């Protein structure tokens, strides 16, 4: 991955140099302040390490395909940006293997690649990894379930305990009901059997 270095008297000056030389906007760059040099007889300088977003995206794609290839799985990859977040979807003839039980293989692959990127650029890089839109379908299923159970709790005023879920799944349920007029959600129990309870606001 290409890394660029720019030096200026101030951070702003160094950034301006980077934007001018690379002919890109600041949103298209990842910028780290490396160090500040200065001494008794030396003026202070700001040194920036700069990476192009496009290079990081290419690194993500190459890393994922390299890992899946080492698993003996040839994959195709689709990349889209939604709300400023990179969404990567893998397609193969072995989607079930890439997904794993309850999506564990996807999660492990995502974690490995995110750590690889952080080692390269020195900071986290956000992206969502999916296989054949498994997580997207799972999200829609959970949102539908949460809304249906919320309607029941609104009518009966009886709390409803959902099946145990991982943190990602629980977050989907919490998020979809955050602004609900009649119910609220709480996570209860201990991992790995932690679950969401949908409760009536009248109980508060």
């Amino acid at each position: 991955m290409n890394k660029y270095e720019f030096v200026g008297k101030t951070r702003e000056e160094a950034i301006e140099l980077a934007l001018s030389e690379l002919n890109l906007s600041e949103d298209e760059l990842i910028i780290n302040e490396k160090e500040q040099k200065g001494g008794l007889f030396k003026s202070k300088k700001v040194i920036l390490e700069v990476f192009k977003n496009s290079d990081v995206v290419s690194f993500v794609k190459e890393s994922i395909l390299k890992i899946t290839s080492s698993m003996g799985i040839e994959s195709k990859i689709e990349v889209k940006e939604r709300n400023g977040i990179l969404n990567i979807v893998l397609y193969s003839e072995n989607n079930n293997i890439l997904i794993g039980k309850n999506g564990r293989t996807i999660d492990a692959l995502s974690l490995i690649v995110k750590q690889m990127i952080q080692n390269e650029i020195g900071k986290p890089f956000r992206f969502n990894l999916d296989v054949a839109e498994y997580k997207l379908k799972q999200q829609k299923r959970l949102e539908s379930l949460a809304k249906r159970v919320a309607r029941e709790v609104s009518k009966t005023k009886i709390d409803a305990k959902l099946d145990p879920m991982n943190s990602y799944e629980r977050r989907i349920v919490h998020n979809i009901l955050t602004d609900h007029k009649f119910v609220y959600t709480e996570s209860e129990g201990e991992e790995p059997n932690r679950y969401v309870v949908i409760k009536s606001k009248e109980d508060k």
Side-chain angles (χ1 to χ4, degrees):
M1 192 188 309
N2 292 325
K3 178 172 68 176
Y4 305 88
E5 192 172 280
F6 297 92
V7 181
K9 293 179 181 179
T10 64
R11 177 181 174 87
E12 291 71 23
E13 182 180 286
I15 289 176
E16 284 300 320
L17 287 171
L19 301 183
S20 177
E21 183 169 322
L22 298 176
N23 195 29
L24 294 170
S25 69
E26 192 169 343
D27 290 339
E28 296 173 288
L29 300 175
I30 295 169
I31 300 171
N32 293 326
E33 190 165 333
K34 185 179 178 183
E35 59 180 306
Q36 292 189 352
K37 290 185 176 180
L40 187 59
F41 301 107
K42 294 181 180 179
S43 58
K44 188 171 71 171
K45 293 181 180 179
V46 177
I47 302 174
L48 300 181
E49 286 183 345
V50 178
F51 301 87
K52 294 180 181 178
N53 267 333
S54 58
D55 288 346
V56 178
V57 172
S58 295
F59 179 81
V60 173
K61 291 166 61 178
E62 290 166 9
S63 299
I64 291 171
L65 292 176
K66 189 179 293 184
I67 294 171
T68 57
S69 179
S70 70
M71 296 167 63
I73 300 173
E74 295 303 316
S75 307
K76 292 182 179 179
I77 199 163
E78 183 180 282
V79 179
K80 293 181 180 179
E81 189 172 323
R82 189 183 303 120
N83 299 325
I85 299 176
L86 195 67
N87 293 279
I88 300 171
V89 184
L90 282 171
Y91 297 92
S92 79
E93 294 182 358
N94 302 94
N95 288 333
N96 288 339
I97 295 175
L98 290 176
I99 292 169
K101 186 178 180 181
N102 297 324
R104 289 175 189 166
T105 304
I106 301 177
D107 293 340
L109 180 57
S110 178
L111 185 63
I112 290 168
V113 176
K114 285 179 178 178
Q115 188 59 57
M116 290 170 65
I117 300 169
Q118 185 159 343
N119 291 343
E120 287 284 328
I121 67 174
K123 63 170 59 175
F125 182 79
R126 290 182 66 194
F127 67 87
N128 294 324
L129 179 62
D130 204 349
V131 175
E133 297 188 335
Y134 164 81
K135 284 196 169 183
L136 181 61
K137 293 171 186 174
Q138 180 191 42
Q139 177 179 335
K140 290 180 178 179
R141 178 183 63 80
L142 286 172
E143 287 177 347
S144 177
L145 171 67
K147 289 177 181 177
R148 186 173 69 251
V149 175
R151 284 196 297 271
E152 293 174 3
V153 173
S154 298
K155 292 177 183 177
T156 65
K157 308 298 185 289
I158 299 172
D159 297 349
K161 183 176 78 173
L162 303 183
D163 290 336
M165 300 177 183
N166 60 36
S167 60
Y168 169 76
E169 294 168 330
R170 294 197 305 272
R171 188 163 60 250
I172 290 172
V173 175
H174 290 311
N175 287 344
I176 197 66
L177 298 179
T178 295
D179 299 318
H180 198 283
K181 291 182 179 179
F182 305 111
V183 304
Y184 67 101
T185 59
E186 289 184 350
S187 287
E188 298 181 3
E190 301 295 328
E191 296 289 3
N193 297 311
R194 199 159 167 78
Y195 54 87
V196 175
V197 181
I198 299 177
K199 301 181 177 183
S200 171
K201 287 186 176 178
E202 290 188 9
D203 294 340
K204 280 190 172 183

